[in-house]
Amino acid sequence: MAEQEYDYDLFVIGAGSGGVRASRIAASHGARVAVAEEYRVGGTCVIRGCVPKKLLVYGSHFAEELQDAANYGWTVGDLKFDWPTLRDAVLKDVDRLNAAYTTTLENNKVERFLERAEVTGPHSVRLASGREVTAKYILVAVGAWPVTPSFEGAEHCITSNEVFHLPELPRRVVISGAGYIAMEFAGIFNALGCHVTVVNRSETLLRGYDESLRDRLLQITMARGIEYKFNSPFDKVVKREDGCLEAHLAGKPDPLVCDLILVATGRKPKTPGLGLETAGVELGENGEIKVDDTGKTTCDSIYAVGDVTDRVQLTPVAIREGHAFADRVFGGKETTISYDCIPSAVFSQPPLAGVGLTESQARNAFGSNIKVFSSDFRPMKNIFGHRPERGLYKMIVDAGTDRVLGIHMIGPEAPEILQAAAIAVKAGLTKADFDATVALHPSMAEELVLMR
């Protein structure tokens, strides 16, 4: 088929962060672009993920802030929380963002199909309406989907997709899993006055984060009233006549009685039913699309970016991958992506964040040739709140070169502080560079340049 016979230069399946960025940049290079999205423009992060979840985190923080207000001289009346007000405000902002992403595509003359699309060949896509279109290149950016459980009664549970639409605030919540999604919602529900129990198959929460921070978060959240059941896989869930749920755990004689069970046990690339096999696109064991360093699949005309590749499931990574793809294929720029020193955060309560190697990772890589600096302190913010919770910052350093290998922290505003610190780690700065920087006082961030 001659190039001019294609309907589009680029057809994107999925209008999330990565797909929208790729569409916009490709169009700016003069490409004829179309994108298909079966739900809403914006993707997981904007519609049912990190953005609305962060707004819920902000809303839940007021429970603590209002309690502290009296100690700062404020007279606060009877405190009352209304879940529908917060829920509807969050969903209204989701509507705003959906419209903003849609406008971005419109302004860049990207044609939109608000329906499902499936690959039918190396250069062809079939829409749910039955229309088949062709494109020189196809980009798959459909993201990932919550892993659903297979135990008896799983239909009575919800995932993070549905949690933003709850008709009312549950009194008792059981959360399955102990990853970042589980810990963030555990903090939200706990702060809003729910009784929260976190149930995990293993004995580890937030796998991949620094062990000291994980231990500190466990201590603090237990003190705040969150209960944990480790090494406790689900056996079954039973819905009682009164509407309550019973979570039966393997090896436990008594079930957990609750009003809501949230399953947060990970996310899986959303590739089933995409028809990728018709174009010879190879998938991995988890259903992820296998790609090379440029995002190209095993079919030369089909690329993939974002969570569907299961490399790094983070929105900023998907955006960079989508941008780099468009620059390479349509802009003639040899743009590369570095997956080294990607900062990440968990908006738990308190939040934690990290960049670079953890202490255990550094010891595995460098043996005893590392230095670990730390600051264990009580944030000034907690003093009038009469909370004994302490923050913890850690810096991992290569003893031979003095280069900072990683920074990890837990405490108020840790993610905001880490973003700037991540630049220093990415740039390969040394501990001496931090030591030579004058502290900004009084702040929590100054602890980064005071560790000795």
Side-chain angles (χ1 to χ4, degrees), residues 6 24 46 68 78 94 122 128 133 145 177 215 276 286 290 300 310 318 335 346 367 371 402 407 413 419:
Y6 294 117
R24 178 172 70 82
V46 169
D68 294 349
D78 293 336
V94 168
V133 298
W145 201 250
D215 289 344
L276 295 169
N286 198 38
K290 292 186 176 182
D300 287 344
D310 206 20
T335 307
V346 180
K371 293 181 180 179
D402 198 42
I407 295 177
E413 308 303 332
Q419 178 65 84

Side-chain angles (χ1 to χ4, degrees), residues 50 61 120-121 126 129 138 158 199 206 230 233 241 262 268 295 301 333 346-347 393 399 442:
C50 43
H61 279 176
T120 55
R126 183 186 301 114
S129 59
I138 297 171
I158 69 168
V199 178
L206 295 177
F230 291 114
E241 291 185 1
L262 170 63
K268 187 175 182 179
S301 58
K333 302 177 182 179
V346 180
F347 294 97
Y393 291 3

Side-chain angles (χ1 to χ4, degrees), residues 41-42 46-47 51-52 55 92-102:
V41 176
V46 169
I47 304 301
V51 171
L55 292 173
K92 183 178 180 180
D93 195 63
V94 168
D95 291 339
R96 177 187 67 82
L97 291 168
N98 172 66
Y101 272 67
T102 299

Side-chain angles (χ1 to χ4, degrees), residues 121-236:
H123 298 282
S124 58
V125 170
R126 183 186 301 114
L127 300 171
S129 59
R131 177 181 174 182
E132 187 153 338
V133 298
T134 60
K136 183 177 182 182
Y137 295 102
I138 297 171
L139 177 68
V140 182
V142 296
W145 201 250
V147 173
T148 53
S150 58
F151 51 77
E152 179 185 344
E155 67 274 12
H156 303 306
C157 307
I158 69 168
T159 70
S160 57
N161 286 353
E162 297 82 39
V163 74
F164 301 104
H165 303 274
L166 294 177
E168 59 186 19
L169 189 67
R171 293 185 300 110
R172 300 160 297 181
V173 179
V174 169
I175 299 178
S176 174
Y180 74 95
I181 295 175
M183 296 309 299
E184 288 172 344
F185 278 113
I188 291 168
F189 284 123
N190 172 255
L192 295 178
C194 309
H195 181 272
V196 177
T197 305
V198 174
V199 178
N200 196 34
R201 293 178 62 90
S202 72
E203 58 185 14
T204 303
L205 56 83
L206 295 177
R207 190 181 304 277
Y209 282 87
D210 189 87
E211 186 174 354
S212 300
L213 271 61
R214 296 185 339 228
D215 289 344
R216 180 63 55 90
L217 181 64
L218 179 62
Q219 296 167 11
I220 292 175
T221 53
M222 289 179 65
R224 290 190 176 201
I226 296 177
E227 295 186 11
Y228 291 87
K229 303 290 184 183
F230 291 114
N231 298 310
S232 301
F234 272 65
D235 185 18
K236 64 179 179 179

Side-chain angles (χ1 to χ4, degrees), residues 364-377:
N364 288 337
F366 293 85
S368 60
N369 196 35
I370 67 167
K371 293 181 180 179
V372 179
F373 299 87
S374 64
S375 177
D376 192 328
F377 61 96

Side-chain angles (χ1 to χ4, degrees), residues 190-446:
N190 172 255
L192 295 178
C194 309
H195 181 272
V196 177
T197 305
V198 174
V199 178
N200 196 34
R201 293 178 62 90
S202 72
E203 58 185 14
T204 303
L205 56 83
L206 295 177
R207 190 181 304 277
Y209 282 87
D210 189 87
E211 186 174 354
S212 300
L213 271 61
R214 296 185 339 228
D215 289 344
R216 180 63 55 90
L217 181 64
L218 179 62
Q219 296 167 11
I220 292 175
T221 53
M222 289 179 65
R224 290 190 176 201
I226 296 177
E227 295 186 11
Y228 291 87
K229 303 290 184 183
F230 291 114
N231 298 310
S232 301
F234 272 65
D235 185 18
K236 64 179 179 179
V237 170
V238 176
K239 187 170 185 178
R240 305 193 320 195
E241 291 185 1
D242 60 2
C244 295
L245 300 175
E246 293 181 354
H248 293 258
L249 308 180
K252 307 293 183 182
D254 300 318
L256 299 174
V257 180
C258 60
D259 307 293
L260 176 74
I261 298 177
L262 170 63
V263 176
T265 52
R267 299 176 62 82
K268 187 175 182 179
K270 197 180 178 184
T271 51
L274 275 183
L276 295 169
E277 67 281 356
T278 63
V281 174
E282 187 176 347
L283 303 181
E285 292 183 0
N286 198 38
E288 75 277 13
I289 298 178
K290 292 186 176 182
V291 294
D292 63 14
D293 292 340
T294 69
K296 183 188 292 187
T297 70
T298 47
C299 175
D300 287 344
S301 58
I302 299 180
Y303 288 71
V305 298
D307 292 1
V308 75
T309 67
D310 206 20
R311 289 182 290 187
V312 180
Q313 291 193 8
L314 291 173
T315 296
V317 173
I319 290 173
R320 289 207 170 206
E321 290 175 346
H323 198 132
F325 156 79
D327 275 347
R328 272 194 308 268
V329 175
F330 298 101
K333 302 177 182 179
E334 287 302 318
T335 307
T336 58
I337 300 244
S338 172
Y339 295 92
D340 182 44
C341 293
I342 296 175
S344 63
V346 180
F347 294 97
S348 48
Q349 300 188 31
L352 58 86
V355 64
L357 300 181
T358 65
E359 180 178 350
S360 61
Q361 289 169 343
R363 292 195 185 282
N364 288 337
F366 293 85
S368 60
N369 196 35
I370 67 167
K371 293 181 180 179
V372 179
F373 299 87
S374 64
S375 177
D376 192 328
F377 61 96
R378 186 181 183 189
M380 182 183 293
K381 183 178 184 229
N382 289 347
I383 294 175
F384 277 13
H386 304 300
R387 283 183 296 279
E389 299 173 4
R390 299 181 66 82
L392 175 63
Y393 291 3
K394 290 181 66 174
M395 181 180 290
I396 317 301
V397 177
D398 182 343
T401 64
D402 198 42
R403 181 169 63 93
V404 177
L405 301 173
I407 295 177
H408 309 275
M409 54 181 65
I410 181 172
E413 308 303 332
E416 304 293 342
I417 297 169
L418 184 83
Q419 178 65 84
I423 299 173
V425 178
K426 179 69 174 177
L429 298 189
T430 64
K431 179 66 167 63
D433 292 321
F434 278 80
D435 294 344
T437 304
V438 176
L440 195 161
H441 181 77
S443 71
M444 292 178 292
E446 69 180 314

Side-chain angles (χ1 to χ4, degrees), residues 11-54:
F11 195 97
V12 180
I13 303 178
S17 298
V20 168
R21 177 60 66 90
S23 299
R24 178 172 70 82
I25 300 303
S28 73
H29 290 310
R32 297 168 300 146
V33 183
V35 59
E37 173 54 57
E38 65 179 335
Y39 182 51
R40 303 184 75 184
V41 176
T44 294
C45 180
V46 169
I47 304 301
R48 48 180 173 254
C50 43
V51 171
K53 183 171 55 183
K54 184 71 176 293

